[in-house]
Amino acid sequence: MAGYHLHFISDDLSFGGHVMDYSITEGIIEIGAVDQLDQRFPIQDRKYLFAKFKAEEIREDIEQSE
């Protein structure tokens, strides 16, 4: 998903997705700068290491999930 957005995941971890728009009636909003992003991948998992990713299938999956 391009552009600024948030992610969510349900309490039971059974579904999640993108939050593209929202409104609040009352609350406090805090904004902070992000100067780095730490991503970790399962490099000990051989299936992950040797997986063949197909860009077109990934695009289709993203479109379907959105």
Side-chain angles (χ1 to χ4, degrees):
M1 173 58 57
Y4 186 77
H5 64 278
L6 304 173
H7 297 109
F8 76 93
I9 191 160
S10 66
D11 288 337
D12 66 0
L13 307 179
S14 65
F15 69 97
H18 296 110
V19 178
M20 301 302 298
D21 192 16
Y22 50 89
S23 60
I24 61 172
T25 56
E26 184 177 323
I28 297 172
I29 298 173
E30 296 182 10
I31 300 173
V34 176
D35 65 351
Q36 72 181 48
L37 174 66
D38 181 25
Q39 284 188 302
R40 297 173 188 241
F41 300 95
I43 59 171
Q44 304 303 324
D45 183 338
R46 293 185 59 77
K47 285 174 65 177
Y48 173 81
L49 284 176
F50 297 103
K52 302 295 183 200
F53 295 101
K54 297 177 182 163
E56 187 56 37
E57 287 180 11
I58 293 171
R59 275 192 284 277
E60 289 171 5
D61 290 343
I62 291 170
E63 287 179 18
Q64 182 180 0
S65 68
E66 293 173 344

